[in-house]
Amino acid sequence: MARRRRATEDDSEVNLTPMLDVVFIMLIFFIVTASFVKESALDLPSSDDSQKTESQSNDSILIQVDATSRIFLQQRQIDIRALRANLERAKAENPKASLVIQADPEAKNGRIVDIMDNAALAEIKNVQFAAPGD
């Protein structure tokens, strides 16, 4: 009978090695995937820390975005679908022109990204931001 008790006591031990392996693999997985999650936002300049540059003179293409995300190209309201063609025309008129985006802080970031995408498609490489009121 003593032998039987010892045999059952030895069998009742739980092997924790496979469970620890799974826990460590999960830990490594979460550490690796968490390092790829990065939040980014557009930091638009405020009127306090912005300065007028030489590119904001007459040789620049000015796009303004108001609080309701309407787009104005050279003081004229324009639809996002017509923006690329107008940017290409403006670039053809002045190949060295830079694009200046002047966005209201309440404007949607997606609209600003759409403008930057259209500028890239129009092959405008020099894109700058300006604070409203400059």
Side-chain angles (χ1 to χ4, degrees):
M1 196 168 204
R3 287 185 184 175
R4 229 179 200 182
R5 281 189 178 167
R6 287 184 185 170
T8 57
E9 286 177 8
D10 291 339
D11 290 339
S12 65
E13 291 181 18
V14 177
N15 189 2
L16 296 177
T17 305
M19 184 179 72
L20 290 174
D21 288 343
V22 170
V23 169
F24 284 126
I25 289 173
M26 288 175 39
L27 179 67
I28 291 170
F29 173 76
F30 287 124
I31 289 172
V32 169
T33 57
S35 66
F36 291 114
V37 176
K38 293 181 182 177
E39 293 184 25
S40 62
L42 294 176
D43 291 328
L44 299 176
S46 65
S47 59
D48 297 337
D49 59 351
S50 64
Q51 300 173 358
K52 287 190 176 182
T53 61
E54 61 186 61
S55 65
Q56 290 178 336
S57 63
N58 291 336
D59 64 340
S60 64
I61 304 165
L62 177 65
I63 293 182
Q64 296 170 310
V65 183
D66 67 359
T68 60
S69 297
R70 292 183 300 171
I71 300 171
F72 296 89
L73 177 64
Q74 307 292 61
Q75 309 294 327
R76 180 177 55 100
Q77 186 174 354
I78 190 167
D79 189 33
I80 189 70
R81 295 172 289 199
L83 183 61
R84 179 180 175 190
N86 283 293
L87 287 175
E88 288 174 346
R89 181 179 47 81
K91 184 176 188 241
E93 291 172 1
N94 188 358
K96 294 183 180 181
S98 63
L99 178 65
V100 178
I101 301 173
Q102 189 177 39
D104 189 272
E106 298 295 319
K108 294 183 180 179
N109 288 340
R111 182 63 71 182
I112 298 166
V113 171
D114 290 340
I115 293 169
M116 293 182 349
D117 289 342
N118 280 300
L121 291 172
E123 297 180 1
I124 297 175
K125 301 194 184 324
N126 189 7
V127 178
Q128 299 175 351
F129 290 96
D134 286 347

